[in-house]
Amino acid sequence: MSEPTAEIPAETVQSVDETADQPKTESHDPAVPAAYAAFMREGWGDRTLDVQRHPVADRAAERRAKLVAAFPDDRLVLPAGTFKVRANDTDYRFRPDTAHTYFSGNQTSDAVLVIEDGESVLYARPRSERDTDEFFRDRQYGELWAGRRPSAQEISDSLGIEVRHVQDLPSFDDDRKTRDLTRDEDLARVADELRLVKDEWEIGELQEACDITTLGFEDSVREWDRVREFGERWIEGTFFRRARAMGNDIGYDSICAGGSHATTLHWIDNTGAIEPGKLVLLDMGVEGHNLYTADVTRTLPVDGRFTSLQRELYDLVFAAQQAGIDAVRPGVPFLAAHNAAMKVLAHGLEDMQLLPVSAEEALDPESKVYARWTLHGTSHMLGMDVHDCGRSSADIYPKGDLAEGMVLTVEPGLYFQEDDLLVPEELRGIGIRIEDDILVTADGNRNLSASLPRTSAGVEEWMGSRIGG
């Protein structure tokens, strides 16, 4: 069991203390004479927004009730987080903590959800009053610098929760056990486990993310002439444009890996060329406005058609992926997809005479020598995080069984490193992965990313109809 905490989360302390009295400014900002400051505090009209109730509001209340049931006697504290410095006086774009948003719906920075005695209060950082310096001087929170933040009432109306200013967050210095999500492993575990099964609304959010992701892949292929000219960077930028236009962001750093870069599992530099005759592995996903993300991979022939060797390898990976998808259904182990896919790949590697032992011997958990060329697991949970629910109890995930409403990836791959002397030279530098987002249904599964072709013939036809289109 984790030790109880009895203090305000550190990131919230920082945000409250640093901005309670003085706006966040920089040394190069012009001086603000008293006359100018006084003039800036007057003459502004009051503008309120007609806020609609967010579709997650009622769901978030139900989620909080389940969380309370797990810790009925404790005070629960779930911070959203604050800005993180990118360089000097510039911050990364803010993205709230997943659990905070899941249980509150809130996506504003510097907020803290507190649940106590079954009652929930969201301590938030609302927009500043116009009679303060913060309004026109603060680079992080000021309306004239960073844009309009919602008022406390607007947040409350949208999310159906009581909202107070974060400066009023209590110190929690009483004897009650306080669990802070950033420090309490038990609270973090339960919060993740409650997110394992998705409801109908969440599945819709994931489906939308997959659909936009498909459009991002199509954008990239339609600009293939530019891709050939500018390389991996062009694909990264093109996909990001679609993610920002129709979603919130990318769900993770895009992997745009041409040629041998595809053998680096998380190649995110995206600085390489896209060369004729080779393959390009694209692992990309859009994060929707409510923070649910897709995670899709396709390996494409740069010339629009696979060579005979590329096709043979691709079809082997496809067969492994299909075996993995076919294994997904309620009641089977989470690892069923992985085991099914690895069996196909191990036997394929045996047929290629690459294994030092038989496929069955290689598949023995005490051996796994086949993994030299497969490297990673076939699946992970998917949701608001690309690697979702990772703090769950291992007995539930990954060692537990699948249930209806879970969403997982199925993504086997083959990777032959450039300097691997145990494979024929023509294989070296080839990396292939195919990944789709699979919903566990009552009678099996549904591929949420099925609109993007997977077969070698389908990929060729898809590229041929879109290159330059």
Side-chain angles (χ1 to χ4, degrees):
M1 297 290 288
S2 300
E3 291 297 319
T5 59
E7 62 271 352
I8 300 174
E11 62 269 35
T12 303
V13 171
Q14 179 182 10
S15 67
V16 172
D17 288 350
E18 289 185 354
T19 61
D21 300 314
Q22 296 297 324
K24 178 178 172 58
T25 60
E26 297 297 335
S27 59
H28 58 272
D29 288 343
V32 178
Y36 170 44
F39 189 59
M40 286 298 292
R41 295 193 191 104
E42 63 183 31
W44 302 102
D46 189 22
R47 176 170 51 95
T48 59
L49 301 180
D50 183 16
V51 177
Q52 301 298 312
R53 189 175 178 88
H54 196 289
V56 81
D58 293 336
R59 292 176 173 85
E62 294 171 358
R63 296 165 182 173
R64 293 194 295 272
K66 293 178 181 178
L67 195 61
V68 168
F71 304 99
D73 300 321
D74 301 337
R75 178 190 291 122
L76 309 180
V77 178
L78 292 81
T82 190
F83 297 97
K84 292 180 174 60
V85 174
R86 180 183 184 275
N88 191 25
D89 59 352
T90 59
D91 297 323
Y92 289 102
R93 181 182 287 121
F94 176 74
R95 199 273 195 187
D97 174 77
T98 293
H100 172 90
T101 302
Y102 181 79
F103 289 102
S104 70
N106 175 64
Q107 294 190 38
T108 66
S109 71
D110 303 278
V112 182
L113 173 64
V114 178
I115 308 173
E116 188 172 6
D117 295 326
E119 299 297 323
S120 300
V121 177
L122 181 65
Y123 293 88
R125 180 78 188 233
R127 70 170 179 266
S128 55
E129 298 296 330
R130 277 130 182 236
D131 59 357
T132 66
D133 276 14
E134 181 179 291
F135 164 64
F136 68 96
R137 292 184 63 193
D138 193 295
R139 290 168 166 265
Q140 207 159 52
Y141 306 104
E143 185 172 339
L144 299 191
W145 280 91
R148 178 190 175 105
R149 294 174 72 92
S151 69
Q153 189 60 53
E154 288 166 354
I155 298 173
S156 180
D157 290 345
S158 173
L159 301 180
I161 190 172
E162 181 181 352
V163 177
R164 302 175 190 169
H165 200 292
V166 71
Q167 291 179 355
D168 298 327
L169 183 68
S171 62
F172 306 140
D173 56 357
D174 54 23
D175 294 332
R176 184 161 196 169
K177 187 171 186 176
T178 299
R179 293 181 180 271
D180 171 8
L181 184 77
T182 63
R183 299 178 177 89
D184 191 291
E185 294 179 3
D186 289 329
L187 177 57
R189 173 184 56 78
V190 171
D192 271 23
E193 290 171 2
L194 288 174
R195 294 194 292 110
L196 279 167
V197 173
K198 275 62 178 177
D199 63 26
E200 184 178 354
W201 181 80
E202 292 181 282
I203 292 167
E205 292 294 308
L206 285 166
Q207 182 64 72
E208 182 179 39
C210 287
D211 293 343
I212 301 171
T213 296
T214 293
L215 296 177
F217 273 83
E218 291 181 343
D219 293 341
S220 300
V221 174
R222 286 194 174 99
E223 299 184 8
W224 213 240
D225 287 346
R226 288 284 189 247
V227 170
R228 288 173 177 267
E229 180 180 0
F230 292 104
E232 297 166 355
R233 294 175 188 267
W234 193 269
I235 301 174
E236 178 185 339
T238 299
F239 186 82
F240 178 72
R241 182 179 67 225
R242 176 66 70 172
R244 285 292 292 155
M246 296 184 69
N248 178 60
D249 207 329
I250 50 175
Y252 53 95
D253 288 329
S254 296
I255 298 170
C256 306
S260 62
H261 288 164
T263 65
T264 300
L265 299 183
H266 285 175
W267 173 261
I268 59 173
D269 287 357
N270 300 335
T271 54
I274 300 298
E275 299 175 318
K278 296 189 177 181
L279 301 173
V280 54
L281 186 157
L282 304 178
D283 187 337
M284 307 186 294
V286 169
E287 178 184 79
H289 293 294
N290 292 305
L291 309 186
Y292 289 84
T293 185
D295 182 7
V296 179
T297 305
R298 292 294 183 268
T299 304
L300 309 179
V302 173
D303 296 334
R305 295 190 67 83
F306 294 99
T307 67
S308 58
L309 174 61
Q310 290 169 351
R311 185 187 304 276
E312 179 182 353
L313 295 173
Y314 185 96
D315 288 348
L316 174 57
V317 175
F318 173 81
Q321 192 206 25
Q322 189 60 55
I325 293 173
D326 290 343
V328 174
R329 60 185 180 276
V332 303
F334 167 79
L335 293 173
H338 174 76
N339 294 335
M342 293 304 102
K343 185 173 182 179
V344 172
L345 290 182
H347 282 277
L349 291 166
E350 180 183 47
D351 292 343
M352 296 163 65
Q353 299 182 345
L354 296 181
L355 295 179
V357 296
S358 70
E360 292 304 320
E361 290 177 279
L363 286 164
D364 189 303
E366 297 300 316
S367 172
K368 293 184 64 175
V369 293
Y370 71 89
R372 178 185 178 99
W373 299 290
T374 65
L375 295 177
H376 57 81
T378 301
S379 299
H380 56 78
M381 291 299 183
L382 184 70
M384 294 177 75
D385 290 335
V386 65
H387 297 144
D388 210 31
C389 307
R391 295 173 294 185
S392 300
S393 168
D395 290 337
I396 295 177
Y397 166 59
K399 295 179 181 179
D401 294 342
L402 295 177
E404 181 181 357
M406 290 182 175
V407 179
L408 66 156
T409 63
V410 178
E411 50 174 316
L414 279 179
Y415 311 94
F416 301 106
Q417 305 300 321
E418 279 187 296
D419 54 357
D420 189 343
L421 302 183
L422 298 187
V423 301
E425 186 174 358
E426 63 268 23
L427 295 181
R428 298 172 194 167
I430 294 178
I432 298 171
R433 181 165 66 252
I434 312 171
E435 177 181 18
D436 286 271
D437 302 339
I438 309 300
L439 167 67
V440 183
T441 62
D443 57 356
N445 65 75
R446 186 171 91 232
N447 186 346
L448 301 179
S449 48
S451 60
L452 205 55
R454 294 189 296 128
T455 67
S456 55
V459 167
E460 289 177 337
E461 180 181 358
W462 175 79
M463 291 188 71
S465 65
R466 286 165 176 78
I467 290 178

